Amino acid sequence: MNESGSITLLQLVQEVAYCDGSMSKEEEDLIITLIDSHGLQEDRDALKNRLIEGYSSPSSHQSVARGSAKRIERDELLKRLSALTSKEERDLAIKLAYLTAMVSRDKDDLTDVNAQELDLFQSVAEAVQCSEQRVRAIQWAADEELKQWTMPSLKQVLLSWLG
């Protein structure tokens, strides 16, 4: 996968993790660390700035509020996702969006995937032109993977992708 595709998938993970309105400081730090450690140069500074400046002042709370001005616009993300060229990249986008939604639950969530995450997930599936049958197959495989994880987390999702 090229750098552009990797950045697009990191932006997708970021947006899914944020779409309920918050992201833990640990998740924020993890994404920035991955950008640095995997040498993803394209849009690196812009993505880091969206993560860092997108928050109100960091606090000691578990989650920090999401800023809207610095994150990638959903339309731009969907455009970038639709530009993914290979079936593998498109399938990976579905898998990462689903796994991120499944592991980034807030304590107040009553379902595994909340309404905002479901809306974004459906938009992602449309952007990558994935059939409903294929989406279900990817979700089933992801659910099987989740069952094998001791402590499902965003870190586990990203490590399963990046190794």
Side-chain angles (χ1 to χ4, degrees):
M1 177 178 302
N2 63 30
E3 286 183 17
S4 178
S6 296
I7 288 290
T8 298
L9 293 176
L10 275 173
Q11 290 171 326
L12 171 63
V13 167
Q14 173 195 1
E15 189 61 19
V16 173
Y18 273 142
C19 78
D20 62 358
S22 65
M23 175 187 247
S24 73
K25 181 75 169 121
E26 178 182 293
E27 291 172 335
E28 169 197 1
D29 292 342
L30 175 63
I31 290 175
I32 291 173
T33 300
L34 285 170
I35 291 167
D36 290 339
S37 68
H38 285 79
L40 302 172
Q41 297 303 312
E42 180 192 298
D43 296 334
R44 178 183 172 277
D45 292 335
L47 181 57
K48 281 182 72 170
N49 288 339
R50 276 194 296 276
L51 283 166
I52 294 166
E53 295 171 13
Y55 292 119
S56 56
S57 304
S59 68
S60 60
H61 296 282
Q62 180 106 10
S63 295
V64 286
R66 167 188 175 176
S68 59
K70 299 297 179 183
R71 75 180 209 284
I72 188 169
E73 292 297 323
R74 183 176 286 198
D75 289 344
E76 177 62 22
L77 175 62
L78 296 175
K79 179 179 162 189
R80 289 187 72 153
L81 287 167
S82 67
L84 294 174
T85 54
S86 73
K87 180 183 179 300
E88 291 77 21
E89 288 175 328
R90 291 169 182 260
D91 285 357
L92 184 56
I94 296 291
K95 179 182 176 183
L96 288 173
Y98 181 73
L99 286 173
T100 302
M102 292 295 287
V103 302
S104 66
R105 289 180 64 178
D106 281 341
K107 61 183 175 212
D108 299 331
D109 287 346
L110 301 176
T111 60
D112 288 336
V113 178
N114 66 38
Q116 297 95 332
E117 291 165 336
L118 181 59
D119 177 59
L120 179 56
F121 182 77
Q122 290 169 339
S123 296
V124 169
E126 289 173 19
V128 299
Q129 301 172 359
C130 194
S131 71
E132 190 175 321
Q133 181 179 1
R134 183 72 188 139
V135 169
R136 282 195 305 269
I138 294 168
Q139 287 175 304
W140 180 85
D143 284 335
E144 291 301 306
E145 192 172 331
L146 276 171
K147 290 177 187 176
Q148 297 175 14
W149 296 349
T150 315
M151 300 214 26
S153 65
L154 182 61
K155 182 176 184 174
Q156 186 71 43
V157 169
L158 292 169
L159 289 176
S160 74
W161 164 39
L162 297 169

